[in-house]
Amino acid sequence: MRLDGPVAVGLGDLDEVGDPTRSGIRPALGWRVAAAAVALLAAAPILTLVVLALDGSVGLWPHLVAHVLPRAAANTALLLAGVGSLAAGIGCGTAWLVTAYRFPGRGVLAWALILPLAIPTYIAAYAYLDVLHPVGPVQSWLRWLLGYQSAREFRLPDIRSMTGCILLLSFVLYPYVYLTTRAMFLTQAATLIDASRTLGASYGAAFTRVALPLARPAIAVGVSLVLMETLNDIGASEFLGIQTLTVSIYATWVNRSDLAGAAQIALVLLVPVAGLVAAERFGRRQRSFAASAQRPRRLEPRPLGRTAGMLALALASLPVLVGFVVPAAYLAWSAWARIAFAGLSQGLLATTWNTVSVSAAGTLGALALGLIVAYAGRAAPGRIASLAARLSLAGYAVPGTVLAIGVLYGVGALDRAVAWAASTLAGASVGLVLIGSGAAMVLAYTLRFLAIATGSVEGGLSRIPPSLDGAARTMGAGTLRTLYAVHLPLAKPALASGAILIFVDCMKELPATLLLRPLNFETLATRLYGEAARGTYEDASIAALLIVLVSLLPVAVLARLGQDGR
């Protein structure tokens, strides 16, 4: 007898119909409840932020509107416009160069253009502040070359400006656009480009009329990521003297001890965040294109002549030079000089351990919650699972400063409840257990990067045929047993890639760490921030170099995944 059609489906769903206590109704309900709990946890900081802002001083809002918000909002809007435009131009241009043309060094540049992702924006700002200082190496060399004797006779424009901030952030963040756009260029059918060429269009016209319009969904995704990172930035903007909304939140909270005022500014910051998310979704919805059922032929790179090839090499190398080579070389030189002069700092080992421990805890937390959300979509699909998957993106969509305020208020209330219970029931004073132990910081990491974990798990599970689920159920395995014995082993590569990305992002996270770290608790990011703020660049260089070296891990993973496009 053949077991196909309705018979096979019936066997696959035997537990769900015949025995609802095993892997049917009750386990499905359990996954939905767990996913809903994660969704509520992800949304709680935003809801807490609203309550905190409404509970603030009535007379504070007019002061913020009159003296803080106009300048901060204008600077933020100008920074977003400049960085978004320049990063889009750099990302699209370099993606088209290494995809459509063949020139010397193209194979190396195809993956080297990803390297600036290993340089956090605040580390790039820290490095260039010293490199481009009036008495720094670049300007000193230029004065020597031009015959000037002092900085009073000749100096470059100060990098501490809006222009300097736009340039720096663009050259560090453009890989988000490069990655998404180049993937689209590689998967587009080459026949469309060939057809435009047969109709008399030049290669440049084929790019502007065919390739670029087809890549608009990918460009929208990349630019939205760039703008999200720009909104989240606090170190680079503050180092370069730009008062953005994010910097204003930090200054209002830390310098003025006004948590309610910081929450009110944070609510204003959520407006552009919501606008970015809506614009990205609108761009993808209005510009979606179907590919052929057959595997499309990839675009054959066009060979360039000697002069044009050298020009293409120079243009494609410039972003790598500015975004990675210069700051990385400066950090290596400064770290070597610091170690040779005074050795390693006594507190560096403890700082490194702090960074690794909280980053590992945040990574495990994000993967655990992401696994619940992603697996609920497979084991118990429906509106609850779909809503939970969307709400899991909340932490990644909002800046770290906004998330930190919501986490601190909620965890602080729980800490006070624990302290009251301990005092009432046992007569003991326990203090702020969760905040003092760093649990609030780990929770912020978990919620901040939950979207990466959910996406990684969903990507791994999507490659597993649903037929394996039915086979496991016919052998008596429930959903948990199927997850442990079937899905996790097969999804292990996706989980490992997600874990690497989350771990490194936790190490680089500055805004949430600055606001939620316990007293006398330093990570590599906060150590670098503090040393740079004091102007002791040599002491900060070792911490910065360690962050960059660890950040190369996900870049190597991305480069390996993109090797097929060389």
Side-chain angles (χ1 to χ4, degrees):
M1 180 184 294
R2 294 181 59 190
L3 296 179
D4 54 11
V7 177
V9 174
L11 288 174
D13 295 336
L14 182 60
D15 290 334
E16 297 185 8
V17 177
D19 186 3
T21 64
R22 294 179 62 188
S23 62
I25 297 175
R26 290 183 182 177
L29 179 61
W31 282 108
R32 292 191 181 103
V33 171
V38 175
L40 290 175
L41 183 62
I46 308 300
L47 300 176
T48 303
L49 187 69
V50 176
V51 174
L52 181 60
L54 295 177
D55 193 43
S57 173
V58 178
L60 179 61
W61 183 248
H63 170 76
L64 293 176
V65 172
H67 300 94
V68 178
L69 289 180
R71 180 184 176 188
N75 286 341
T76 302
L78 184 58
L79 187 64
L80 290 176
V83 174
S85 301
L86 186 56
I90 297 173
C92 292
T94 52
W96 180 251
L97 273 178
V98 299
T99 304
Y101 297 99
R102 182 179 291 114
F103 53 89
R106 169 183 169 271
V108 175
L109 284 172
W111 60 263
L113 283 162
I114 310 174
L115 289 177
L117 285 180
I119 306 288
T121 53
Y122 58 89
I123 289 183
Y126 149 77
Y128 274 106
L129 276 176
D130 206 24
V131 170
L132 298 179
H133 194 274
V135 295
V138 173
Q139 297 207 48
S140 298
W141 178 79
L142 284 176
R143 282 194 295 271
W144 173 83
L145 184 66
L146 299 175
Y148 294 103
Q149 300 299 321
S150 68
R152 295 181 179 179
E153 300 178 18
F154 174 83
R155 62 187 302 172
L156 295 175
D158 195 351
I159 190 176
R160 291 184 177 90
S161 63
M162 178 62 72
T163 302
C165 193
I166 290 175
L167 289 173
L168 187 142
L169 293 179
S170 299
F171 276 100
V172 174
L173 298 176
Y174 79 86
Y176 288 108
V177 182
Y178 168 79
L179 283 169
T180 56
T181 307
R182 183 166 186 257
M184 183 64 75
F185 287 157
L186 287 171
T187 55
Q188 288 172 358
T191 52
L192 297 176
I193 302 295
D194 295 339
S196 65
R197 296 281 290 154
T198 59
L199 294 173
S202 63
Y203 225 60
F207 168 68
T208 56
R209 294 186 177 184
V210 179
L212 198 58
L214 288 174
R216 284 181 185 175
I219 296 172
V221 173
V223 172
S224 67
L225 291 174
V226 168
L227 297 182
M228 291 291 186
E229 291 295 325
T230 303
L231 281 175
N232 185 57
D233 171 73
I234 185 173
S237 300
E238 187 175 9
F239 289 162
L240 299 179
I242 306 301
Q243 183 188 354
T244 62
L245 289 171
T246 306
V247 174
S248 298
I249 293 171
Y250 178 75
T252 302
W253 183 354
V254 176
N255 299 339
R256 302 175 185 173
S257 301
D258 189 351
L259 183 57
Q264 292 174 350
I265 301 175
L267 285 182
V268 176
L269 186 58
L270 289 181
V271 175
V273 170
L276 289 175
V277 174
E280 183 267 335
R281 291 186 178 274
F282 179 81
R284 286 194 295 171
R285 182 184 62 186
Q286 297 298 321
R287 293 287 181 175
S288 58
F289 301 91
S292 171
Q294 298 179 349
R295 185 174 181 178
R297 179 173 60 86
R298 290 190 172 183
L299 183 65
E300 183 66 25
R302 176 187 178 187
L304 294 176
R306 182 180 181 85
T307 302
M310 290 297 103
L311 179 59
L313 176 63
L315 290 175
S317 300
L318 181 62
V320 181
L321 180 68
V322 176
F324 178 79
V325 175
V326 171
Y330 165 79
L331 293 177
W333 178 82
S334 297
W336 174 259
R338 174 64 175 81
I339 294 173
F341 176 74
L344 291 174
S345 173
Q346 294 181 353
L348 185 62
L349 182 60
T351 301
T352 303
W353 169 250
N354 291 341
T355 306
V356 172
S357 59
V358 297
S359 299
T363 301
L364 292 176
L367 284 177
L369 297 187
L371 180 62
I372 292 174
V373 174
Y375 199 69
R378 185 181 183 100
R383 291 184 178 180
I384 295 178
S386 177
L387 181 61
R390 293 185 179 183
L391 287 178
S392 68
L393 303 176
Y396 197 73
V398 300
T401 48
V402 176
L403 183 67
I405 294 175
V407 168
L408 180 68
Y409 191 76
V411 173
L414 185 59
D415 253 339
R416 290 190 294 271
V418 171
W420 177 85
S423 176
T424 302
L425 300 178
S429 177
V430 296
L432 301 178
V433 178
L434 299 177
I435 295 177
S437 64
M441 186 167 52
V442 173
L443 177 60
Y445 289 169
T446 300
L447 299 182
R448 176 97 171 92
F449 305 114
L450 177 59
I452 300 178
T454 303
S456 299
V457 178
E458 285 180 343
L461 294 178
S462 66
R463 297 180 178 90
I464 301 175
S467 58
L468 295 182
D469 299 47
R473 286 197 297 269
T474 60
M475 299 178 66
T479 53
L480 283 177
R481 181 68 182 275
T482 303
L483 171 64
Y484 175 77
V486 179
H487 295 134
L488 287 182
L490 294 177
K492 193 177 296 183
L495 292 174
S497 299
I500 292 174
L501 292 172
I502 296 169
F503 180 81
V504 176
D505 279 338
C506 290
M507 287 194 62
K508 297 190 297 183
E509 176 61 29
L510 179 62
T513 309
L514 278 174
L515 297 174
L516 296 175
R517 58 177 173 155
L519 292 175
N520 301 319
F521 187 93
E522 293 280 358
T523 67
L524 292 174
T526 60
R527 183 186 182 94
L528 163 64
Y529 178 86
E531 297 289 357
R534 289 188 290 269
T536 53
Y537 295 109
E538 293 81 5
D539 293 332
S541 59
I542 300 176
L545 185 61
L546 287 174
I547 294 175
V548 171
L549 291 177
V550 175
S551 300
L552 285 173
L553 286 173
V555 174
V557 172
L558 291 174
R560 182 179 181 85
L561 293 176
Q563 280 181 349
D564 292 338
R566 287 183 302 179

